[in-house]
Amino acid sequence: MRMNVSAEAGEAAGLRPLSARSVVLSLLLGAHPPELPVKDLVRLVEPFGVGGSTLRAALSRMVAAGDLRRTDGVYGLSDRLLARQRRQDEALHPRTRAWNGDWQMVVITATGRGPAERADLRARLGALRLAELREGVWLRPANLARPLPDDLARLAESYTAHPDGSPHDLAARLWPLAAWATAARTLLARAAGAHHPADRLATFAAAVRHLLTDPVLPPALLPPDWPGEALRSAYAGYEEELAASVGLRGDH
């Protein structure tokens, strides 16, 4: 089963407008630490077409929904969204190591799981940049410098594999590389032509979502002119631009 290219990236030529909630989350997910006083948020969201009353209503709903926590007038990301920020940071700065030709294979061993549990496990394995070769068997080149989460040990077993045949053909079977690259180039073109703050924020929010689906393959397995690093660099530049213009601290 192939990894899906993000729908947002595929629709980059006609990005949907960002809601007040999306603007707040985009700002906080890009801030380190991810918390801001309400008075600063009122100032920061104005260039994106969000008024003060709309912002305050959105903040109340987000606290009630568990998206944000509020302490003495300062809003910060909830634990769930702090985990999302960590995944986003990892997508922008993936930790890799030299590839020696080994592949990581994860085999699901747990049984008796319901549909929701199976879907959650599939989402987690996809977020770890693994791809499903066949039901219950997930693969990727062993070039990422990260262990599997400890709690996956009760659900799956991990092996070092040496698949027969061409690794290029296997990578092309597991990931829609041409489609991912096309969508990334569309986002880069959109970013170059977007000048209004709301358009730029929407474009780079889609870029982050798209980078979360980048398989981060070894250079030897990537097609020519792979745009992954260019998209990361463009987003890093936008983070610096946003930090400079609105006073967010963008260092990690």
Side-chain angles (χ1 to χ4, degrees), residues 37 70-75:
R70 182 180 185 273
T71 305
D72 297 329
V74 176
Y75 289 86

Side-chain angles (χ1 to χ4, degrees), residues 24-25 48 52 76 117 126 129-130 151 161 170 173 184 201-203 207 221 226 230 236-237 252:
V24 170
L25 289 183
F48 304 103
E117 292 174 301
R129 305 185 191 280
L130 290 151
D151 64 326
L170 181 56
R173 178 182 172 188
L201 185 63
T203 300
L221 297 184
W226 180 253
H252 291 199

Side-chain angles (χ1 to χ4, degrees), residues 13-54:
L15 293 168
R16 64 181 184 273
L18 290 176
S19 64
R21 176 182 181 276
S22 295
V23 171
V24 170
L25 289 183
S26 293
L27 291 172
L28 288 175
L29 284 166
H32 296 79
E35 55 185 30
L36 287 166
V38 65
K39 61 181 179 60
D40 287 344
L41 281 168
V42 170
R43 173 177 58 86
L44 298 177
V45 301
E46 186 178 2
F48 304 103
V50 178
S53 60
T54 300

